[in-house]
Amino acid sequence: MASSTSQSNAKRHTLSVLVENRPGVLARIAGLFARRSFNIDSLTVSPTERPEISRLTVTAHVEQEPLEQIIKQLNKLLHVLKIVELDPDTTVERELVLIKVAADVQNRSDVLELVRMFRAHVIDVNTESLTIEATGSQGKIDALMDLLQHYGVIELVRSGAVAVTRGPKALSDKVVGSEITGR
Amino acid sequence: MARPTPLQAFSGVPKGTAQNDETPANGEKMTGAQALVRALEDLGVKDVFGIPGGAILPVYDAIKEDTKFRFVLARHEQAAGHAAEGYAVATGRCGVCIVTSGPAATNLVTAIADANMDSIPMIAITGQVGVNAIGTDAFQEADTVGITYPVTKHSYLVTSAQDVPRVVAEAYYIATTGRPGPVVIDLTKTAQTGEMYYTWPQRLVLPGYNPTTEAHGRMLENAAKLFTQSFRPVLYVGGGATRSHASKQIKELADLTGAPVVTTLNARGIIPDSDPKMLGMLGMHGTVAATGAVQRCDLLVAIGARFDDRVTGKLSAFAPTARVIHIDIDPAEIGKNRSVDVPIVGDVATVLDALIPEIRKAQNEYGIHDLKPWWDALNKFRTDYPMSYDRPEDQPTDGTLSPQWVVSQLSKSADPNTIWVSGVGQHQMWASQLVDFEKPNHWISSGGLGTMGYGLPAALGAMVGSQRDHDGSYPVWLIDGDGSFQMTSEELAAATIDGVPVKVAILNNSVYGMVRQWQTLFYGQHYSATILHDGEPDADDAPGESGYVNVPDFVKLAEAYGCVGLRATTKEEALDAIKKANEINDRTVVIDFRVWKDAMVWPMVPAGASNDTVAYREGVHPLDNSEKASEETLSSEGF
């Protein structure tokens, strides 16, 4: 999932997919990406403000044509309710990363300086390490990770992106009624 | 009620949702298995195919003397699936098959995939172990829903008896509407044996399923305008038009616009072959006129077709000068392989009903181009490169029958209502080229998946349909190959015992003919693993080099299954056998035609090559006279 496609005109796209919260939905969607040989960068699933609906956020580096095809294929899955490609200009997007850095007495203060600059948090301290929690856009997280690399990263875990549009509207507004709970 | 967690999306089985909280106030009390049978009855299902087994026994127990549908027992689950497909194509109704769990479900996967590729409405009901045994590697357990995700339109795992009628109703609706396709219902033993309260009709809960059937008005206008601007239009008609029962509309459109009609394999018969506007099948083994028309046209109107590689050849060289109108009910097909100038999403018949008046209006406004030069060119293709096998190099050199001659004779002497079925291979191409198709839905063949062994069970299903709709008066002729036939020949038992008589013509060349043809043309005549020893020309006299003769002997095989077996090695015997077969309507007849193993399917476009390189015969390239065309062999892209 981590590798991105190295196509010429590939741009980063973020899709928000509303699905019925039902068993096996993620398997169907992940399987669809795999068999249409569609490389994704990240995928996040979470519940939404409506318990019967889950929301997937997918990011991928792709050209326009394969993207359109995969959106159409996703739309054919019956459990998929709504797909929107989020416009980066009107979207707030965040990722979360936990990094365990090899920081000892000698360079701990240097690392803490970085943590402060990036408005990240230290969530665990040890004589040999610091664990840092950071949230932000992909670019900010990448920059922080580049800088921390220098001190030695012991362990790293990073979430996929989650994103919402700016303004008062919800994506699920477009999914009418409580039809789904009828089951 | 416990809330479902987001991670439930990973799990196959719902947990925590209290499904049986509400007790339905009304409804008839019964088991889930009984509810399944009742729901099928209430849907109006008349014929069901299948094989019983441990995890589906409660359902079979619920099938009784007074059950309203006929049950036909297959001998292999794959065949049960193909029979349901054949039935669906022949009748236009949803095919239904019921098999057990594990190996039965995996056997059925081929048929499900086949139905998915050819958009055949089908409900496949599989048994499943009890809910508490799921995931424990129980006896005959397989993750049927997981295995079939990629090859179904939709699938259900039913864990509670109360869900059964709703799921069956939804499955039927999904399978038969929009772009038709197979729906799997994986029915746990828990759901079959559990008690529930049956009500009908059921409320369908399908928030994510809204197929578009009617076209967008603006698109119709644009399409109509393109028609009036075209000097060289072609209607490229695919299986979607057959599924949509649009033959009347296709004919009307062709007559109104004067455009020639070319079809894919699945749309053979959509308008009669005797219609002068019909140029035949296009693509890898299509007629020169049809392939030529598409390559030279300025307007390509794809109707319920999906630009398959067997049709387009090298995609970048397909219909290079054409603007494209694409009518399809599945939005994902539009622009998938070929970019489109006017996309129209909708049901073919509905769209054409709306498009035809628009074209008439546009014709009144902008006038009509004279298509005579276009037709002159096409008619020249037709006369210069006819679909026949009369040339000297087509004639057998070893005293066997010409397979193409056999097909022509079958077509000539058959009842006009005959439903034609084929397996997959050379015989399939010859059947599609040489049988005279005059009616839609009278041609049943595995197109997209190309499933060898499809023929006999599909023929069985078609005959069951004929018995249901026409009192059996529409005969079914299966044109099969010796290789293809052997993959499902056990179904002769079902044909005999369930009283489903079909007529089987085996074009027996004792080899895997289509593979051999490729080996001849592209692999230096290295006949690796393609010789079958089931019909050597001299088989009746002495064993050939291998020492084997007639393994199996198809005449004896037929007789062993209670069918009539005939062999034909000469033209007289062949005509005699065909006559006999046409007269016998109470038993299945199998004719073993000994045909020439070096017979070829022509014309041919090598896989992955441009359609312009089409060879009418070896070295004859009607669309491209340059030397490059004859050098064209299998490209690395070809498969």
Side-chain angles (χ1 to χ4, degrees):
Chain A
M1 236 162 42
S3 74
S4 67
T5 47
S6 56
Q7 286 150 328
S8 49
N9 295 321
K11 270 175 38 190
R12 186 168 187 269
H13 297 273
T14 307
L15 296 180
S16 264
V17 186
L18 295 184
V19 299
E20 287 183 62
N21 185 0
R22 295 187 62 72
V25 175
L26 186 61
R28 279 176 212 266
I29 290 173
L32 181 66
F33 286 134
R35 73 174 177 275
R36 302 274 171 187
S37 57
F38 186 86
N39 266 332
I40 52 181
D41 294 345
S42 76
L43 185 145
T44 313
V45 198
S46 67
T48 65
E49 68 283 1
R50 285 166 64 176
E52 75 277 16
I53 296 177
S54 288
R55 180 164 175 155
L56 270 79
T57 309
V58 183
T59 62
H61 277 84
V62 278
E63 289 183 68
Q64 198 57 35
E65 272 186 17
L67 182 73
E68 278 171 21
Q69 179 61 210
I70 208 73
I71 290 174
K72 286 173 174 177
Q73 295 292 348
L74 279 173
N75 259 320
K76 283 171 73 171
L77 297 178
L78 269 81
H79 291 321
V80 170
L81 302 169
K82 185 85 203 160
I83 304 172
V84 175
E85 193 195 337
L86 297 176
D87 178 354
D89 295 341
T90 58
T91 303
V92 189
E93 190 174 314
R94 290 290 178 269
E95 289 179 21
L96 169 75
V97 66
L98 301 179
I99 314 169
K100 201 179 282 179
V101 186
D104 51 21
V105 194
Q106 254 112 66
N107 55 15
R108 186 175 293 147
S109 54
D110 297 357
V111 175
L112 287 173
E113 184 63 23
L114 281 175
V115 168
R116 205 163 28 246
M117 274 158 60
F118 278 86
R119 279 181 250 156
H121 306 279
V122 173
I123 52 174
D124 183 58
V125 190
N126 188 279
T127 49
E128 289 158 40
S129 72
L130 268 181
T131 304
I132 297 162
E133 170 207 319
T135 57
S137 65
Q138 193 193 25
K140 173 184 160 184
I141 304 280
D142 285 348
L144 174 64
M145 277 169 32
D146 276 353
L147 289 167
L148 290 175
Q149 209 74 44
H150 172 67
Y151 301 94
V153 173
I154 302 168
E155 199 174 5
L156 182 150
V157 56
R158 183 172 178 174
S159 77
V162 292
V164 286
T165 50
R166 297 177 189 273
K169 288 200 174 118
L171 198 55
S172 61
D173 288 348
K174 291 166 184 167
V175 181
V176 281
S178 57
E179 274 293 277
I180 308 160
T181 47
R183 281 191 239 258
Chain B
M1 192 183 95
R3 272 193 173 180
T5 66
L7 281 183
Q8 198 179 83
F10 274 120
S11 159
V13 186
K15 294 187 184 76
T17 44
Q19 298 208 346
N20 291 325
D21 266 5
E22 70 244 74
T23 341
N26 46 25
E28 191 181 331
K29 193 173 173 188
M30 59 175 77
T31 66
Q34 288 164 339
L36 178 87
V37 172
R38 176 73 75 81
L40 290 175
E41 289 177 338
D42 283 342
L43 283 167
V45 171
K46 296 277 192 286
D47 300 277
V48 172
F49 305 86
I51 302 182
I56 197 76
L57 265 171
V59 169
Y60 277 85
D61 188 51
I63 299 175
K64 301 213 161 68
E65 281 296 296
D66 60 351
T67 297
K68 287 180 193 146
F69 55 76
R70 172 185 182 184
F71 177 78
V72 178
L73 179 65
R75 294 298 184 275
H76 188 285
E77 287 86 0
Q78 180 193 350
H82 291 322
E85 287 183 80
Y87 179 86
V89 178
T91 63
R93 294 191 297 271
C94 189
V96 179
C97 54
I98 306 178
V99 305
T100 188
S101 60
T106 56
N107 278 344
L108 190 59
V109 170
T110 304
I112 294 170
D114 191 277
N116 196 48
M117 286 287 250
D118 284 348
S119 308
I120 295 173
M122 176 163 99
I123 298 178
I125 299 161
T126 54
Q128 183 56 276
V129 299
V131 168
N132 293 328
I134 287 181
T136 65
D137 301 325
F139 178 64
Q140 292 196 332
E141 185 194 352
D143 176 9
T144 307
V145 167
I147 290 168
T148 56
Y149 276 148
V151 293
T152 48
K153 185 167 175 186
H154 194 54
S155 48
Y156 289 92
L157 175 68
V158 187
T159 53
S160 156
Q162 193 58 49
D163 292 339
V164 169
R166 194 203 79 238
V167 165
V168 174
E170 286 181 4
Y172 187 86
Y173 178 70
I174 293 164
T176 53
T177 55
R179 177 179 183 172
V183 180
V184 168
I185 302 176
D186 198 24
L187 200 58
T188 59
K189 205 147 182 189
T190 314
Q192 294 172 51
T193 51
E195 294 210 320
M196 52 84 66
Y197 292 87
Y198 185 88
T199 55
W200 195 267
Q202 285 282 324
R203 189 172 70 94
L204 309 185
V205 187
L206 298 168
Y209 182 64
N210 307 296
T212 313
T213 53
E214 285 186 36
H216 194 281
R218 171 88 57 74
M219 290 302 165
L220 292 176
E221 277 174 42
N222 293 348
K225 200 180 282 174
L226 280 192
F227 265 104
T228 61
Q229 291 166 356
S230 167
F231 293 89
R232 302 189 306 277
V234 172
L235 309 183
Y236 151 42
V237 183
T242 317
R243 298 284 176 273
S244 164
H245 303 283
S247 58
K248 188 182 110 265
Q249 287 86 349
I250 299 282
K251 167 94 178 110
E252 202 180 333
L253 182 66
D255 288 344
L256 175 67
T257 59
V261 177
V262 303
T263 79
T264 66
L265 181 75
N266 277 339
R268 297 289 289 122
I270 188 82
I271 69 168
D273 280 355
S274 55
D275 191 299
K277 293 215 170 53
M278 176 57 120
L279 300 181
M281 183 170 78
L282 82 161
M284 181 176 277
H285 293 300
T287 64
V288 171
T291 306
V294 167
Q295 290 304 98
R296 306 258 161 105
C297 70
D298 65 359
L299 176 64
L300 182 68
V301 188
I303 304 173
R306 58 184 178 85
F307 295 83
D308 180 79
D309 58 86
R310 286 301 188 259
V311 159
T312 62
K314 188 175 165 190
L315 204 51
S316 58
F318 177 67
T321 51
R323 287 199 275 187
V324 179
I325 300 172
H326 194 172
I327 304 171
D328 204 292
I329 196 156
D330 181 359
E333 285 304 335
I334 288 171
K336 185 181 80 177
N337 291 339
R338 168 76 183 236
S339 58
V340 171
D341 297 281
V342 180
I344 304 180
V345 178
D347 169 62
V348 167
T350 315
V351 168
L352 292 187
D353 277 336
L355 178 62
I356 286 164
E358 284 291 334
I359 294 176
R360 217 169 260 135
K361 212 165 76 188
Q363 283 178 341
N364 289 337
E365 196 171 329
Y366 305 107
I368 306 168
H369 285 309
D370 178 16
L371 300 186
K372 188 166 178 302
W374 179 224
W375 272 105
D376 286 347
L378 297 176
N379 284 329
K380 188 158 162 44
F381 280 140
R382 265 207 283 217
T383 43
D384 289 355
Y385 306 102
M387 181 49 77
S388 65
Y389 288 86
D390 302 334
R391 292 162 65 108
E393 66 261 39
D394 301 330
Q395 307 315 313
T397 54
D398 59 354
T400 52
L401 291 162
S402 147
Q404 298 97 346
W405 176 85
V406 173
V407 173
S408 303
Q409 295 307 313
L410 287 167
S411 172
K412 219 178 270 178
S413 56
D415 186 298
N417 287 323
T418 299
I419 299 167
W420 297 93
V421 185
S422 84
V424 168
Q426 283 185 314
H427 68 275
Q428 177 189 29
M429 292 298 109
W430 289 321
S432 88
Q433 291 173 341
L434 299 167
V435 170
D436 193 18
F437 293 103
E438 295 295 316
K439 293 177 176 181
N441 290 71
H442 280 239
W443 165 241
I444 301 172
S445 189
S446 168
L449 198 65
T451 312
M452 285 175 71
Y454 177 83
L456 183 59
L460 206 76
M463 192 64 206
V464 170
S466 164
Q467 289 172 335
R468 173 69 55 199
D469 293 351
H470 309 286
D471 217 12
S473 67
Y474 284 21
V476 174
W477 259 112
L478 165 64
I479 296 177
D480 216 339
D482 50 320
S484 202
F485 182 74
Q486 282 192 62
M487 290 201 179
T488 49
S489 63
E490 80 285 342
E491 298 309 314
L492 288 175
T496 298
I497 289 173
D498 269 292
V500 190
V502 295
K503 304 174 200 302
V504 184
I506 303 175
L507 304 184
N508 183 354
N509 53 9
S510 200
V511 293
Y512 288 123
M514 189 57 99
V515 182
R516 184 186 169 91
Q517 175 163 345
W518 285 42
Q519 289 173 334
T520 302
L521 295 173
F522 311 121
Y523 292 91
Q525 305 183 14
H526 174 212
Y527 298 122
S528 180
T530 44
I531 299 168
L532 292 175
H533 302 296
D534 59 0
E536 299 297 325
D538 57 352
D540 285 339
D541 308 323
E545 276 170 38
S546 67
Y548 294 110
V549 281
N550 292 349
V551 183
D553 181 324
F554 289 112
V555 173
K556 284 187 190 157
L557 184 77
E559 285 165 357
Y561 280 113
C563 309
V564 177
L566 302 167
R567 177 164 296 134
T569 53
T570 64
K571 286 190 174 181
E572 293 71 40
E573 286 174 10
L575 292 173
D576 198 42
I578 294 170
K579 186 158 172 284
K580 263 192 205 146
N582 278 328
E583 282 163 2
I584 299 170
N585 288 314
D586 58 342
R587 286 165 81 189
T588 292
V589 186
V590 178
I591 312 177
D592 177 16
F593 293 99
R594 292 298 165 89
V595 302
W596 188 33
K597 63 176 178 295
D598 289 320
M600 301 281 246
V601 181
W602 294 115
M604 179 167 187
V605 181
S610 158
N611 274 352
D612 283 329
T613 66
V614 61
Y616 182 62
R617 289 295 183 275
E618 218 157 359
V620 184
H621 302 277
L623 301 184
D624 183 356
N625 291 324
S626 65
E627 280 187 18
K628 230 175 67 223
S630 33
E631 282 163 19
E632 199 66 58
T633 55
L634 211 55
S635 80
S636 55
E637 303 278 298
F639 38 85

